[in-house]
Structure formats: C-alpha cells, structure tokens
Amino acid sequence: MQKHFSFARTPELLFEQGGIRELPGLVRRFGERVLLIAASHCHERFNNGGDIRRLLNEAHIEIELLRHSGEPSPETVDTITAAWRGHGIECVVAVGGGSVVDTGKAVSAMLPLEGSVFDYLEGVGSGAVHPGAKIPFIAVPTTAGTGSEATKNAVLSRIGKDGFKKSLRHENFVPELALIDPELTLGGPPAVTAASGMDMLSQLIESYISTKANPMTDTLAENGMVHAGRSLLAVCSDRADDIERRADMAYAAWLSGICLANAGLGVVHGFASSIGGFFDIPHGVICGTLLHASLRETAISCIERGGKNDRTALKKLGRTGSLLAGKENTDHRSGLEMLDHLIEELTETLALPRLGVFGVSEKDVERILDVTSPKNNPGEISRNRMRRILVSRL
C-alpha cells in the first residue's frame, strides 16, 4: 500500500433523482440574490416542464439569468464579471454541462476581484496568485462528463493559432455544493451524451493508471468503471430514458472528477489541452476519439519496457477491461484484450468523429506535439508514440 498521499476536499453532495426541487433551500443558505448561468432553455427545465427559474422565484429568491454556450474564454468570464461585480450577487448557480460549470466556477472566483481572470491562469497569465476569495458556488451538471462539479479548477480556452486551454485553480474554488439530479441528463442530444460519456470514461481510466494514483483513487475509479461499463452504451442507444442508467453515468462522472483531482490524467487529456486550444472541437470528442489509440500505445510501451511500474500499469489496464465488461475473474492478459476490443467498439458504435472533421490535418501534427504533455501517463509516451496516436485519428 502507498503510505504517503494526500486527498483533496470535495464539495458537499446532494445526489438524488428529482433533487433539483431542493435547489431553493440550498441556495438560501448563501443568500437570496442569485446569478443563474445556464446554457439554454432546456437547462432551465426539468421533469416535463418544471422550470428552475419559477422554482426559485416561488421561494422569493431573486434571479439574474445569464445564458452561456461553448467552452468559456477569459474574455467571456471578464465580460460576465464586469457586468455583475458590485451588484450584490450572493450565490452563483451553474446549470449545464462541464463548460457551463467551469464558467460559473470562474465567475464566482472573479466577482470579488478587479482585473482580468487571464492574469491568474496557469502557464499563460501574469503569474498573479489568486487570493481564493469567491462568491458561493453551486454546480448543477446536466451531462455526465467532465466531473467539474467535483474539482477545484475551471478550464478556460482561447482558440486559434496561439490558442490555449488553461486552468484557474485554487483549493477554495471547489463548489460549496454539487447537486446531481440524474433527471436533468434526460433528453440530451445523443452526440453530447456519447462525447461526455467518453470523456468521463477516459478520466476514470487515466486517473486509475496514473503514476500519481493512490489507494483511494483506485477504489473510486474501479467503482466508477463498473457503473460506466454497464450504462454508457445503453444511454447512447435504446435506453436513453432509463433513469437508473442515467444515474449510473452521473455517479461515474462525479467519481471521475474526484479521481482526476487527486491522481491527475494522462496523454489523452494532454492532447485535449493542446488540440482544444488550436481548434474549436468539443472536449469530450477529442478525449473519446483518442482514447483507444492512447491506451493501445500505453500498453505496448509498458510491455516493451517491462519494469515494475509498467507491470503494475498493465495489470490495472487488464482489470479495467474486466470491470468494463462486467467480468471479475479474468487474468490481466484477457482483460487487456477485452479493453482493447471494448474501447475500439465504443469508438465506432458511438460514431466519434475523427479530428480531420474539425480541420486538423497532417500539417498540424508537429505544432500540436510541440505543446502536448503525456502528463501522468505510465510507460514511455515518446513524441513518436504521440505522433502515432494523433495521426491514427486524423
């Protein structure tokens, strides 16, 4: 057992089918004037026409509604905070996918401060240290994907030739509360459900095999993979309205956020960071389309190297295949074969688009590799291996 590790705090959690009806009481803990950030009309509704705004208004909570779509940029956060700073906002509530949750998280962190959020971004800002002041924040995810409702960072993007995806991070940015209601994921577009689910799955697997994994993240990741394995394909096909399967996915996404916050991620998310800065591609699509090739290269590298840590990673990859397939008693070699087949099948069945669909071509490969890190991936993920991963999904 690894005897020395730390574990980040998590938000208070309410996980309940129909739990959205508890939102007024939860908000009232922090005040009665709320900035509600939602992606679209559908993210304000629940259970065949219920309306979050009406729910809050009936509880005499004053709402300022803001719509946001797409992955947030520093400019987006600056515009929102400039408009609402000094207007008595007592709580920020974000209802939507991971991008909306990240937007709300960053806005809550910047409302008490003057200046631009860009100054506080890791790796690109001025190096300013955020003091951790914030407006209380409640995350209400409507997709089972990024796990941002469980983490202390908000990912902001600037897309283009000199683009980036970087984090605003502080221990205090963990949401005060995560309200996870599986009902809110019903009716989501199949393509979004698929990409979000593959993002979640990549987070569980990458944190599980991470060189910084620990016994707690291992246990949580394994549990998450059991739930994801039995429900991911189902919610993307004939059981899209099965609330138990949706609950499986929402729970697995929550666990994936906790795991990544404590064990880190691997080369899949290294690519997501670099490619997502250069091209306007949904984060989950990048992760999902690269997962199979990345796991294959990782396994090959670990087999070739054959060290103690490599053997451990291979055993974990084998167990991943067994867990996703719902088979507990397979040896790790059989598990590796199952994993390779399962992820390849998911990639094809869910019709995850190749990167070329979004304009990525061979001429972009080297500049992507220049700024891509394998992060905490096991094995030796060299530039040549990363090149093969990328080229295989153009």
Side-chain angles (χ1 to χ4, degrees):
M1 175 178 174
Q2 183 179 339
K3 295 182 179 179
H4 301 285
F5 64 90
S6 61
F7 205 83
R9 69 184 179 92
T10 60
E12 179 182 349
L13 171 66
L14 173 60
F15 190 106
E16 180 185 1
Q17 181 182 343
I20 190 63
R21 295 164 184 80
E22 304 297 322
L23 183 61
L26 301 174
V27 167
R28 200 174 289 281
R29 296 184 190 178
F30 308 108
E32 298 183 348
R33 182 165 167 76
V34 174
L35 179 61
L36 174 63
I37 302 176
S40 64
H41 287 287
C42 67
H43 288 149
E44 299 161 37
R45 300 190 184 116
F46 62 93
N47 194 27
N48 299 321
D51 187 289
I52 292 175
R53 285 182 298 174
R54 185 167 66 246
L55 191 70
L56 293 172
N57 282 327
E58 288 174 352
H60 305 292
I61 293 172
E62 184 179 357
I63 304 166
E64 300 294 345
L65 174 64
L66 174 71
R67 299 193 192 284
H68 171 75
S69 61
E71 297 185 12
S73 67
E75 291 75 19
T76 298
V77 174
D78 286 349
T79 298
I80 296 171
T81 53
W84 295 106
R85 187 180 289 122
H87 285 255
I89 299 299
E90 296 174 301
C91 181
V92 176
V93 177
V95 182
S99 294
V100 175
V101 173
D102 277 355
T103 301
K105 195 181 296 183
V107 167
S108 77
M110 291 305 298
L111 279 173
L113 275 62
E114 298 293 335
S116 173
V117 68
F118 181 81
D119 292 334
Y120 302 100
L121 292 182
E122 297 173 344
V124 292
S126 66
V129 177
H130 197 289
K134 61 177 280 194
I135 301 297
F137 175 55
I138 297 175
V140 187
T142 61
T143 61
T146 68
S148 181
E149 64 273 13
T151 70
K152 64 183 178 183
N153 67 302
V155 179
L156 306 184
S157 306
R158 184 178 289 165
I159 299 172
K161 181 181 178 182
D162 299 314
F164 59 81
K165 292 188 74 167
K166 298 292 182 180
S167 284
L168 173 71
R169 192 186 311 267
H170 194 284
E171 293 289 343
N172 289 351
F173 298 165
V174 173
E176 273 63 36
L177 190 136
L179 195 169
I180 301 178
D181 181 350
E183 284 187 3
L184 299 182
T185 66
L186 294 171
V192 173
T193 299
S196 298
M198 288 296 281
D199 181 23
M200 171 266 287
L201 185 59
S202 70
Q203 289 171 176
L204 288 170
I205 297 173
E206 287 198 299
S207 59
Y208 185 52
I209 64 173
S210 168
T211 56
K212 293 186 177 179
N214 64 60
M216 289 184 68
T217 58
D218 283 354
T219 299
L220 296 176
E222 288 183 356
N223 190 239
M225 287 188 281
V226 170
H227 288 79
R230 69 190 183 198
S231 294
L232 173 52
L233 191 56
V235 299
C236 295
S237 54
D238 60 336
R239 302 185 69 174
D241 295 328
D242 186 328
I243 193 64
E244 291 187 8
R245 299 298 182 185
R246 290 287 186 172
D248 274 347
M249 295 294 289
Y251 174 65
W254 163 255
L255 293 181
S256 80
I258 297 173
C259 290
L260 75 86
N262 287 280
L265 296 169
V267 68
V268 171
H269 279 79
F271 274 124
S273 179
S274 56
I275 296 172
F278 293 144
F279 297 90
D280 189 8
I281 309 176
H283 174 80
V285 169
I286 301 174
C287 295
T289 203
L290 293 177
L291 181 58
H292 178 250
S294 298
L295 292 178
R296 177 172 284 181
E297 287 292 338
T298 296
I300 292 171
S301 174
C302 289
I303 290 169
E304 290 177 351
R305 283 161 50 99
K308 179 180 178 181
N309 292 336
D310 302 302
R311 294 194 299 272
T312 297
L314 286 170
K315 288 179 180 178
K316 282 189 167 186
L317 285 169
R319 179 148 176 77
T320 296
S322 300
L323 291 168
L324 292 177
K327 298 180 179 179
E328 279 288 334
N329 298 318
T330 56
D331 62 85
H332 81 270
R333 290 181 179 83
S334 298
L336 278 170
E337 292 176 1
M338 284 190 290
L339 178 63
D340 187 70
H341 173 73
L342 283 168
I343 302 301
E344 185 174 36
E345 183 180 44
L346 277 172
T347 305
E348 296 304 316
T349 302
L350 299 180
L352 291 166
R354 291 177 176 268
L355 298 173
V357 172
F358 301 91
V360 185
S361 68
E362 288 192 11
K363 68 180 178 60
D364 301 304
V365 168
E366 298 307 318
R367 70 179 179 123
I368 290 172
L369 295 178
D370 285 343
V371 292
T372 300
S373 165
K375 296 195 171 186
N376 302 311
N377 212 90
E380 183 182 4
I381 306 301
S382 64
R383 188 180 180 98
N384 282 337
R385 289 194 187 279
M386 289 194 289
R387 184 181 292 108
R388 284 199 292 269
I389 293 168
L390 185 56
V391 170
S392 73
R393 294 302 294 175
L394 290 180

